[in-house]
Amino acid sequence: MSRTKLILLLLLPLLLFALGLLYVDACFEDDDLLHGIAALVLLLALLAAVEGVILRRIVIPYWGEQVAERIYAGSYVPDEDPLVQLAESVRASRDEARLAKLEREVRAQGWRYRGWMELAAIQRDVFSNPAAACSALQEGAAAVQDPQDAAMLLYRAAHVAQDAMHDATLAESIRRKAAADFPQTVYGRKAAAELPAQD
């Protein structure tokens, strides 16, 4: 789920609460204090319950996953991470149909840079296709949300182009993109440092 959808989901109960306050206000204007207070208490209880469920079932797991992704790059225990489990299955079987499934899963979870790294490593090392690995890393850089992750994926794509594809022109082009698009990131600066000096 994207951050925008998450924010909208959290704001929806507040919008409904605000609409309910119109009824409460009407009760107070009609001097019907008992109904107004009862409606206000009911609205507050419903708001707390709905927001609590959203936080517990959706927001907190999402944040936990994001924190794990930042700290550990995703779970390294296959039983806890279906994407990693699928990647291991592709490595073991060398099955192109499973590779296609992995590509779909990685794109479906495009915000996870770990998925792009797994896909690129499999394409390069298991299927001996560094061009596909380089493309996957570049695609991942466009899909992830964090600038640090995007810069890191571009930096790695440049090294695949340089070391595995032996395409210095492509590697330089990717480094220039990383340096230009993400100059404040660690990998953006590393990419800039690896560019040839300008005359």
Side-chain angles (χ1 to χ4, degrees):
M1 177 179 288
S2 71
R3 293 178 193 173
T4 305
K5 289 180 182 175
L6 201 61
I7 291 168
L8 290 174
L9 185 62
L10 285 168
L11 290 178
L12 181 61
L14 293 173
L15 176 63
L16 296 175
F17 177 76
L19 292 174
L21 287 179
L22 295 175
Y23 172 77
V24 172
D25 190 48
C27 288
F28 286 145
E29 285 182 2
D30 294 340
D31 291 328
D32 191 356
L33 295 179
L34 188 59
H35 280 104
I37 291 171
L40 181 59
V41 169
L42 180 61
L43 282 171
L44 287 170
L46 283 172
L47 177 65
V50 171
E51 290 285 3
V53 168
I54 291 171
L55 284 169
R56 184 181 174 102
R57 300 288 174 135
I58 298 170
V59 176
I60 292 174
Y62 174 81
W63 284 342
E65 197 171 80
Q66 292 290 318
V67 169
E69 189 70 23
R70 294 289 168 266
I71 296 174
Y72 304 111
S75 171
Y76 282 85
V77 180
D79 290 342
E80 294 179 3
D81 191 336
L83 188 65
V84 174
Q85 191 174 24
L86 178 58
E88 290 303 320
S89 167
V90 175
R91 279 191 180 90
S93 67
R94 298 176 175 265
D95 183 352
E96 292 193 7
R98 287 186 185 174
L99 175 62
K101 182 178 179 184
L102 177 63
E103 289 173 344
R104 289 192 299 272
E105 289 297 320
V106 168
R107 289 187 177 103
Q109 301 177 46
W111 56 268
R112 292 187 66 187
Y113 82 90
R114 169 74 190 273
W116 296 106
M117 292 292 291
E118 290 282 358
L119 177 59
I122 288 170
Q123 287 169 325
R124 184 191 64 226
D125 300 333
V126 177
F127 290 92
S128 301
N129 191 346
C134 186
S135 293
L137 291 166
Q138 292 177 81
E139 183 181 348
V144 296
Q145 297 171 345
D146 188 282
Q148 296 282 357
D149 294 345
M152 185 266 299
L153 289 168
L154 286 174
Y155 181 81
R156 294 191 186 279
H159 275 273
V160 171
Q162 182 84 46
D163 301 334
M165 297 171 64
H166 308 292
D167 189 337
T169 304
L170 177 59
E172 182 177 335
S173 170
I174 296 169
R175 286 189 182 104
R176 288 196 186 283
K177 179 170 177 53
D181 292 355
F182 308 104
Q184 302 305 316
T185 65
V186 172
Y187 283 97
R189 290 192 294 269
K190 284 175 70 101
E194 292 179 11
L195 288 170
Q198 297 292 320
D199 292 331

